[in-house]
Amino acid sequence: MKLKLVFPKVLLICVLIVSACSEPEKQTTATANVQVLPYQFLMPELDRQRTVRLYLPPSYHQSDKSYPVIYMHDAQNLFDDKTASSGEWEVDESLNQLAEKQGFEVIVVGIDNDADFRMNELSPWENKRFGEAQGQQYMAFIVEVVKPYIDTNFRTQADRLHTAIMGSSMGGLMSHYAIHAYPQVFSKAGIFSPSYWYSQDVFSYSRFKKAPLDARLYVMYGDKEGDGMIADTDKMLRQLRQQGHPRQNALFKRVPNGEHNEQLWRTEFSEAIQWLFQQQPAF
């Protein structure tokens, strides 16, 4: 009788082990014009190293043109389903299609996140739950280490009018900060599902240090991301308008049925970058 009771449990354990071991490994989905730069970049003020991923336009190796650049956070989720935590943005596929159909080409520089410090690195403001802010050091790393390397080693249009920053969630919060903190570096920000909830300091900072009038802000969120997301983003919209930021340079988009995930950000990516790089009036 004891054997009959023990055997099914042993069999179940064996089945579970075999099932776990037989799960197919994710295959890379990154296109051929995406590369991981061959060495880690040192983050001087944080004493960490970081992987940087690079998308080059289809025509890059067949021309001598220089290209605009978008700097993006959470690079593991941008190009490759194999490295993505919850599906990828398909940035490379989307840009390849835009290049083929509309002739729009841009370089994308993706900075990997660090799972242990992501919340800290992607905010310049402290949060009692998540601890100290490291966003100022993280952005200094992008501006003082990564960007000079990219501009030196690749054919970029390095001026602010051809340089954008983009991210989602905490990356949206950081992109909002970057366009205000580094107006001499960035003139465009893609701010997807921004985590304005993380710190109310984002509102006081944005009042104190206004973005230049020609800065283009594309703020997008889904209406299923929660009441807090809707309220905070509406509050930021009202504040920017009260501060006199031109309506044609600040687009706030609420996506019906949009949820806080890569599917929303993937779907909205192409429209956002086309709007960000439209010709704009001088101020």
Side-chain angles (χ1 to χ4, degrees):
M1 294 294 293
K2 288 183 179 179
L3 182 60
K4 291 182 179 178
L5 291 173
V6 173
F7 180 72
K9 294 181 180 179
V10 174
L11 180 62
L12 177 59
I13 291 171
C14 291
V15 169
L16 290 174
I17 292 173
V18 171
S19 297
C21 293
S22 62
E23 286 184 5
E25 183 181 355
K26 281 186 176 181
Q27 299 298 309
T28 183
T29 59
T31 58
N33 47 335
V34 172
Q35 60 182 285
V36 178
L37 294 183
Y39 52 84
Q40 298 281 302
F41 284 70
L42 177 65
M43 308 177 77
E45 296 184 50
L46 296 173
D47 195 25
R48 295 173 196 144
Q49 293 185 326
R50 194 54 46 84
T51 297
V52 174
R53 303 171 194 267
L54 181 70
Y55 165 91
L56 294 176
S59 71
Y60 186 87
H61 294 294
Q62 288 77 45
S63 76
D64 57 0
K65 294 190 302 183
S66 295
Y67 300 85
V69 184
I70 307 173
Y71 290 85
M72 298 185 70
H73 317 290
D74 297 320
Q76 296 100 317
N77 299 332
L78 301 180
F79 309 112
D80 197 343
D81 193 54
K82 186 174 183 178
T83 59
S85 56
S86 303
E88 56 154 319
W89 284 45
E90 297 181 4
V91 165
D92 44 346
E93 289 90 347
S94 297
L95 288 176
N96 285 349
Q97 287 183 10
L98 283 177
E100 180 182 354
K101 295 178 180 178
Q102 299 186 29
F104 174 80
E105 293 188 305
V106 64
I107 292 172
V108 176
V109 180
I111 296 90
D112 274 19
N113 67 51
D114 182 314
D116 293 333
F117 297 103
R118 179 176 180 272
M119 304 296 282
N120 310 90
E121 289 182 2
L122 292 180
S123 174
W125 304 290
E126 184 179 1
N127 178 287
K128 290 182 179 179
R129 176 183 173 189
F130 295 102
E132 66 173 329
Q134 299 174 353
Q136 291 183 18
Q137 298 93 319
Y138 169 80
M139 275 309 307
F141 163 67
I142 293 177
V143 170
E144 298 171 11
V145 177
V146 179
K147 187 177 188 299
Y149 175 88
I150 297 297
D151 290 337
T152 300
N153 291 279
F154 299 93
R155 298 193 310 276
T156 66
Q157 294 177 303
D159 62 289
R160 64 177 293 273
L161 290 178
H162 295 93
T163 307
I165 191 157
M166 192 172 199
S168 63
S169 194
M170 291 297 293
L173 178 68
M174 179 50 63
S175 298
H176 179 104
Y177 167 73
I179 196 74
H180 289 77
Y182 290 94
Q184 76 281 14
V185 177
F186 306 103
S187 68
K188 315 169 198 306
I191 302 169
F192 281 13
S193 305
S195 294
Y196 291 141
W197 61 268
Y198 192 84
S199 174
Q200 290 298 298
D201 288 343
V202 65
F203 295 99
S204 55
Y205 182 83
S206 302
R207 279 192 297 268
F208 171 73
K209 192 171 178 61
K210 298 178 183 179
L213 295 180
D214 69 339
R216 289 176 74 77
L217 285 70
Y218 189 104
V219 185
M220 184 280 300
Y221 63 100
D223 65 4
K224 287 191 174 181
E225 295 194 65
D227 294 339
M229 171 69 70
I230 295 170
D232 284 343
T233 310
D234 285 349
K235 180 179 177 180
M236 185 59 72
L237 170 60
R238 292 193 301 273
Q239 179 173 309
L240 287 172
R241 287 181 174 172
Q242 289 168 2
Q243 292 175 189
H245 200 84
R247 288 174 180 255
Q248 68 267 28
N249 287 339
L251 189 155
F252 281 67
K253 181 178 181 180
R254 177 173 171 175
V255 179
N257 300 313
E259 299 179 356
H260 194 86
N261 56 32
E262 276 71 19
Q263 179 181 346
L264 173 63
W265 307 326
R266 176 172 61 245
T267 302
E268 297 297 319
F269 173 75
S270 292
E271 179 181 310
I273 62 166
Q274 289 178 84
W275 184 86
L276 286 171
F277 283 91
Q278 282 176 358
Q279 201 66 23
Q280 52 192 312
F283 286 90

